Amino acid sequence: MKTKFPATPHDAIFKTFLRHGETARDFLEAHLPPFLRPHCNLDTLKLEPESFLDEKLRSRYSDVLYSLQTGNGAGYIYIIIEHQSSPDDHMAFRLMRYAIAAMQRHLDIGHKTIPLVIPILFYHGKVSPWPWARNWQQLFAEPALAKALYSDDFPLVDLTVMPDNQIARHRRMAMLELLQKHIRHRDLAELQVPLIALMTQGYLTEAQLNTLLRYMLQAGTTEHPGALIRTLAAQSPRHKELMMTIAEWLEEKGRKQG
C-alpha cells in the first residue's frame, strides 16, 4: 500500500509533538530562558485553541499557545515554528504582534490585567545560525531611538494639568486645547477673555473657527449662548459675519422654543 504523506510535513510533525502537554513541558524545560523559568508553573500548562497567524502565512509557520500560571497570575507561552528554508528577517516584529494579540485575547475574555506572554521561535532553516535580529526594536532604522520610545512611558498631552497660559502658546491648537480642557467643567462665558485673545491672533481658518463654535454649542454649557457668540464677534472683525450668523440662528431658535 502506498504511504500517504501530509501536504505540509513540517506543520504536521510540529503539531503532533508540541500539542502534547508532556512533550511541550519537556520542550520548555529545555528551552525556557533561565530568568523566566522560576516564574512559570509548568504543572499548569494548558493547550489553548487559538492561533494568531494570518491565513496567508500558515503554510510558512505553525503556532501553539499554552496558558499557565505564573508567580503573578495567568500567563501564556506562544511557540511558533518557521517552516520556510529562508529565515524571515522581520520575525522579531511578527512575534511581538502575535504576543500582543494573545494579550488582547486575554483582556477580551474578561481579565483586567495584561498577562505575561513569552514568545518562542523554533527554527530549522537552511541558514545557520539564525541570522536576523531577535529584538523587534533592532528592526528600526534607529534602534536606540526605538528603544527609548517603546521601553519608556508613552508621550502624553494631559490638558487637565496644563496651565492655560502654556496652552495659549500653542498657536493653531491653542483654542481647541483650551476649550477641551474646560468644556466639561466651566461655563463657556467664563472663557470669553482668553477665547477672544486667541481668536485675534489670526491663526484659525474660518472653517476651523466655525467647527470650534459649533463644538462649543454642542458640547459646552452657558446660560446665554447667543450673547456669548455676539461678544466674541464684536472682538473679532475678521470672523464677525460668521459669528453673527450663528448668534442670530441661536436667538431665533430660542424664540421659537420660548
Side-chain angles (χ1 to χ4, degrees):
M1 185 175 71
K2 186 177 180 180
T3 302
K4 186 175 182 181
F5 292 105
T8 54
H10 302 303
D11 178 79
I13 196 168
F14 176 73
K15 289 180 177 176
T16 297
F17 273 71
L18 269 297
R19 287 178 178 272
H20 183 263
E22 292 179 358
T23 304
R25 178 179 179 137
D26 287 348
F27 174 84
L28 295 171
E29 285 181 337
H31 299 300
L32 265 179
F35 78 96
L36 290 171
R37 182 64 184 85
H39 300 278
C40 298
N41 183 352
L42 299 183
D43 291 333
T44 63
L45 279 178
K46 177 187 174 185
L47 180 65
E48 299 291 335
E50 198 79 35
S51 172
F52 298 105
L53 291 175
D54 299 331
E55 190 66 39
K56 64 183 179 181
L57 297 179
R58 289 186 182 172
S59 62
R60 300 164 61 188
Y61 313 103
S62 292
D63 62 340
V64 294
L65 180 71
Y66 275 94
S67 60
L68 78 167
Q69 289 299 308
T70 73
N72 293 304
Y76 298 87
I77 296 177
Y78 184 71
I79 307 167
I80 183 167
I81 183 171
E82 185 170 27
H83 302 315
Q84 58 186 0
S85 58
S86 300
D88 183 346
D89 56 345
H90 287 130
M91 179 53 77
F93 179 59
R94 291 194 192 281
L95 286 172
M96 178 60 67
R97 284 179 53 204
Y98 301 145
I100 290 174
M103 296 173 195
Q104 184 62 58
R105 168 195 180 272
H106 185 80
L107 295 176
D108 289 343
I109 61 179
H111 296 281
K112 300 301 181 185
T113 56
I114 297 175
L116 182 71
V117 178
I118 303 170
I120 298 176
L121 175 65
F122 189 76
Y123 172 69
H124 64 119
K126 291 181 178 179
V127 178
S128 179
W130 168 267
W132 301 115
R134 294 167 54 195
N135 185 317
W136 74 287
Q137 294 169 356
Q138 293 299 314
L139 300 177
F140 288 85
E142 296 188 54
L145 186 60
K147 181 177 180 180
L149 175 60
Y150 294 114
S151 299
D152 206 342
D153 296 344
F154 61 80
L156 172 66
V157 180
D158 187 352
L159 296 177
T160 67
V161 297
M162 192 176 295
D164 289 358
N165 60 356
Q166 180 180 343
I167 290 174
R169 296 195 292 269
H170 294 171
R171 296 161 60 94
R172 292 168 181 81
M173 281 295 295
M175 188 168 173
L176 170 62
E177 290 180 358
L178 184 72
L179 283 171
Q180 294 210 306
K181 175 182 176 180
H182 294 295
I183 202 156
R184 292 188 178 93
H185 312 292
R186 294 179 63 180
D187 187 303
L188 293 176
E190 299 173 15
L191 299 175
Q192 58 182 308
V193 172
L195 289 177
I196 289 168
L198 293 174
M199 285 193 304
T200 55
Q201 290 177 356
Y203 288 126
L204 296 174
T205 67
E206 186 161 308
Q208 288 173 331
L209 182 60
N210 186 17
T211 300
L212 285 170
L213 293 173
R214 294 182 184 280
Y215 172 66
M216 289 167 58
L217 299 173
Q218 179 182 4
T221 56
T222 189
E223 189 174 352
H224 302 293
L228 173 61
I229 299 299
R230 284 183 177 276
T231 300
L232 297 178
Q235 300 298 322
S236 182
R238 179 183 171 203
H239 302 294
K240 184 174 182 179
E241 183 178 351
L242 167 66
M243 289 189 284
M244 290 300 293
T245 300
I246 294 174
E248 290 165 4
W249 175 81
L250 285 170
E251 290 162 355
E252 179 64 23
K253 180 181 178 183
R255 283 193 292 272
K256 289 180 178 178
Q257 291 176 343

